[in-house]
Amino acid sequence: MEGGKLIIFSAPSGSGKTTIVRHLLNKPELNLAFSVSATSRPQRGKEEEGKHYYYISLKEFKQHIKNDDFLEWEEVYRDNFYGTLKSEVERLWAEGKNVIFDIDVVGGLRIKKKYPKETLAVFVKPPSVDELKIRLKKRSTESEEKINMRIAKASVELATAPQFDTVIKNYDLDTALEEAYQLVSKFVASDKYENKDASNE
């Protein structure tokens, strides 16, 4: 696999990474395309096939794992698998696009490890775990039990922040959006991601 650049945004659920990714996708000068993940979980609410996820059965997902079809995959919750199909990234690269991911921290770090020079890995940090819980409750899409699972997972995910190229603190959304834009703009204009401190020059 070879082609354009890979831009990863990872964070605990409710940190605002999806809002940041949508903002960047609306900037045509960045030449970004969204990598749609595959999942074995059922569709929720107004989610659309091929836009939010590729929804495949648990059996199909496991077959793709056996066939080495994924760039990365993870069992996030019991029997809830998520992954990035190699064919999805190849399709977007063939269109001449830089690929942007809104992805779990484990998956993000796996892609960074496979493509260290082509990838900018950004961790989005929420103000606090308490604030995360408030945001997740406001969504009203999940049970209290599921929210508590996400909060427990968030504490583990926050500890991975130093492994990313850079951290954006999403304490103020407008500031975070501008910081993300500047980072990605600089990265897509550069030859490759050279070092960890490039974003702090």
Side-chain angles (χ1 to χ4, degrees):
M1 283 176 63
E2 60 177 85
K5 304 231 173 120
L6 304 173
I7 296 119
I8 290 161
F9 278 86
S10 294
S13 236
S15 298
K17 71 179 184 304
T18 303
T19 304
I20 292 171
V21 167
R22 282 183 187 146
H23 174 74
L24 295 172
L25 282 164
N26 283 325
K27 303 291 181 185
E29 67 275 19
L30 298 177
N31 191 32
L32 300 175
F34 182 65
S35 169
V36 178
S37 297
T39 183
S40 65
R41 76 153 173 79
Q43 280 176 256
R44 288 189 202 132
K46 294 179 179 176
E47 289 179 344
E48 294 173 40
E49 167 71 25
K51 181 181 176 185
H52 295 93
Y53 289 99
Y54 296 117
Y55 300 93
I56 58 180
S57 69
L58 186 58
K59 187 180 176 184
E60 277 180 283
F61 203 105
K62 288 181 174 176
Q63 189 58 51
H64 278 303
I65 292 170
K66 276 186 185 171
N67 296 346
D68 193 30
D69 292 335
F70 288 109
L71 191 54
E72 58 76 33
W73 64 270
E74 188 192 2
E75 186 175 14
V76 177
Y77 301 104
R78 185 180 168 82
D79 286 342
N80 267 14
F81 286 82
Y82 293 81
T84 303
L85 288 161
K86 291 176 182 174
S87 57
E88 172 74 353
V89 177
E90 285 166 349
R91 176 180 73 80
L92 298 173
W93 271 351
E95 291 174 9
K97 297 288 190 180
N98 296 306
V99 184
I100 191 166
F101 300 81
D102 172 351
I103 194 172
D104 181 271
V105 296
V106 175
L109 289 170
R110 281 186 184 144
I111 292 172
K112 175 68 183 178
K113 195 173 177 183
K114 283 185 182 175
Y115 295 99
K117 287 190 185 317
E118 293 85 353
T119 305
L120 173 67
V122 182
F123 187 92
V124 181
K125 198 172 186 180
S128 67
V129 172
D130 288 341
E131 175 63 23
L132 266 191
K133 194 162 191 175
I134 291 164
R135 290 180 188 179
L136 289 171
K137 281 186 171 177
K138 276 184 183 170
R139 285 184 185 177
S140 306
T141 55
E142 295 177 321
S143 65
E144 185 75 19
E145 183 190 9
K146 198 69 184 273
I147 287 170
N148 288 334
M149 281 169 68
R150 288 197 184 277
I151 294 301
K153 190 165 176 277
S155 302
V156 177
E157 289 172 325
L158 286 164
T160 68
Q163 297 175 54
F164 285 76
D165 293 316
T166 191
V167 176
I168 290 176
K169 294 174 181 172
N170 187 12
Y171 300 176
D172 173 75
L173 183 59
D174 288 339
T175 305
L177 292 175
E178 180 57 26
E179 193 179 339
Y181 176 78
Q182 293 300 334
L183 265 172
V184 174
S185 183
K186 186 176 178 181
F187 178 64
V188 297
S190 68
D191 288 339
K192 298 287 178 188
Y193 195 80
E194 294 302 337
N195 64 62
K196 202 163 173 119
D197 299 314
S199 62
N200 301 322
E201 285 172 6

